[in-house]
Amino acid sequence: MLNKTKLAAVELGGSEHDAFLQDVTAGLSATRKTLDPKYFYDDRGSRLFQQITELPEYYITRTETQMMQDSASDIGSALAKVSTVIEFGSGSGERTDLLLQSLPAAERYVPIDVSDELLASTAATVGARHPHIQVHALNADFTAPMTLPVETGYAPLGYFPGSTIGNFLPTAATRFLVNARKTLGANADLLVGVDLVKPVKLLEDAYNDSRGVTAAFNLNILARINSELNGNFDLSLFAHQAFYSAELSRIEMHLVSLAQQEVVIDGTYSFTFRVGETIHTENSHKYTIERFKHMATQAGWRPARCWVDEDRLFSLHLLRNTA
């Protein structure tokens, strides 16, 4: 059977541009300046993140990949009836490849992402490796409710790897889980990667890599503002900062102003930065297994299975829709 690949890509429209501008100006007008991390992921940002996942300090991707390999048979048995996989956030395809290999009834794959380039790459990779699976790529913000481009059949599987859920504040993570349950529908399952609490040095090294790729990824959000919103950020006057907050159980990423400076966006909006003032760009929350299970239950899911690597660095949770 020939593979059928559908790219439901949508070009950046006026409303998306306006939303980007509104979010940026609102975040930089706050008492503690912030930028929404979803704007990291233009095409360059997505490529940089893929490089991060290959770094020696970044344990998450290789640990999760090894877990998918080690638990393939077990996962396949637990999800034997799944015919459609919906991935929230299109990745490089390696872990998805392992998942699809383990699912005997898989017929359709729907990657969802805001990056056309990454969607096209993922669709091509999965299509080449699994010619019997139809790929329907969807350009969309997966944090919001949406209509899927295909009929999912009985017992669809949502897939959310990489501990991306840790980037949300706990309230937003719960909201994502609620939205995902509504998007996937009755009888759906959700397989989600969750990073675990661990020694601080291991955490901080993962977000302060020796090659500076994470720093480039962090700074890229300013480059994107310059390119798409006519900003005049001087990237050399900002530095990457990442540290672990034990109180909030999260890594925080910031951009630190190295000088007293003024930045103008869209020729209209002016923002002043003090020396040492930061823009808070991202959080990466770390969970205990029980705390995440409680969150999933609050969102209407029933925790069904949990896989953990032998070093207890990372966890994979299988959730079932109870509604």
Side-chain angles (χ1 to χ4, degrees):
M1 179 180 176
L2 293 177
N3 180 66
K4 298 177 182 178
T5 301
K6 296 183 180 180
L7 291 180
V10 179
E11 293 184 1
L12 182 66
S15 61
E16 291 165 307
H17 174 277
D18 292 347
F20 184 21
L21 178 62
Q22 181 177 346
D23 287 348
V24 167
T25 54
L28 295 182
S29 298
T31 303
R32 298 187 64 184
K33 294 180 172 67
T34 64
L35 289 171
D36 193 320
K38 71 181 180 182
Y39 294 117
F40 280 135
Y41 298 97
D42 62 353
D43 288 338
R44 181 172 184 268
S46 296
R47 289 195 300 272
L48 284 167
F49 182 73
Q50 288 306 127
Q51 293 177 36
I52 288 171
T53 65
E54 299 167 3
L55 293 168
E57 297 97 334
Y58 194 79
Y59 60 87
I60 292 176
T61 305
R62 65 174 176 270
T63 302
E64 185 178 21
T65 300
Q66 187 63 54
M67 290 175 66
M68 293 293 293
Q69 292 171 337
D70 294 344
S71 304
S73 177
D74 201 17
I75 291 172
S77 296
L79 299 169
K81 296 181 180 180
V82 168
S83 61
T84 304
V85 176
I86 300 97
E87 183 169 2
F88 297 98
S90 174
S92 62
E94 182 178 6
R95 286 161 297 177
T96 305
D97 182 44
L98 292 168
L99 176 63
L100 293 174
Q101 286 180 32
S102 71
L103 302 179
E107 298 177 350
R108 290 171 296 275
Y109 169 61
V110 183
I112 305 170
D113 206 279
V114 295
S115 169
D116 287 344
E117 182 177 311
L118 193 55
L119 278 171
S121 174
T122 300
T125 299
V126 172
R129 294 177 178 174
H130 303 272
H132 64 290
I133 292 179
Q134 298 180 18
V135 182
H136 304 261
L138 176 62
N139 184 304
D141 177 358
F142 62 75
T143 64
M146 70 190 75
T147 301
L148 296 173
V150 293
E151 293 295 328
T152 59
Y154 181 79
L157 173 68
Y159 184 42
F160 198 33
S163 193
T164 304
I165 198 165
N167 296 143
F168 302 145
L169 292 172
T171 52
T174 303
R175 187 164 57 248
F176 165 80
L177 291 171
V178 170
N179 286 337
R181 185 169 56 80
K182 292 177 180 178
T183 295
L184 295 169
N187 302 312
D189 293 334
L190 179 64
L191 185 64
V192 54
V194 179
D195 200 17
L196 298 177
V197 174
K198 58 183 62 64
V200 172
K201 186 177 189 309
L202 188 59
L203 284 168
E204 292 190 340
D205 285 352
Y207 294 84
N208 292 283
D209 65 276
S210 58
R211 302 180 191 179
V213 182
T214 310
F217 174 72
N218 200 5
L219 286 162
N220 184 64
I221 198 169
L222 303 185
R224 185 178 180 191
I225 292 171
N226 286 350
S227 174
E228 298 183 31
L229 300 181
N230 190 30
N232 68 344
F233 279 100
D234 183 342
L235 272 61
S236 70
L237 295 182
F238 287 86
H240 166 74
Q241 180 187 66
F243 59 89
Y244 183 67
S245 168
E247 178 184 2
L248 299 173
S249 192
R250 72 189 188 192
I251 286 282
E252 292 188 11
M253 285 208 326
H254 295 253
L255 290 167
V256 184
S257 177
L258 302 178
Q260 179 78 21
Q261 56 183 305
E262 182 179 359
V263 174
V264 178
I265 296 173
D266 199 36
T268 303
Y269 304 94
S270 177
F271 303 95
T272 300
F273 292 84
R274 305 183 306 276
V275 176
E277 185 177 7
T278 75
I279 308 172
H280 189 171
T281 54
E282 186 176 58
N283 296 310
S284 185
H285 291 82
K286 312 304 174 184
Y287 289 92
T288 64
I289 290 171
E290 290 308 314
R291 183 181 171 208
F292 181 77
K293 285 182 176 181
H294 176 73
M295 175 186 290
T297 301
Q298 293 295 107
W301 293 95
R302 176 174 65 83
R305 294 289 302 274
C306 179
W307 293 270
V308 182
D309 66 289
E310 62 180 14
D311 295 321
R312 301 192 67 82
L313 299 176
F314 195 81
S315 58
L316 281 170
H317 294 256
L318 178 60
L319 310 176
R320 298 224 145 108
N321 192 353
T322 58

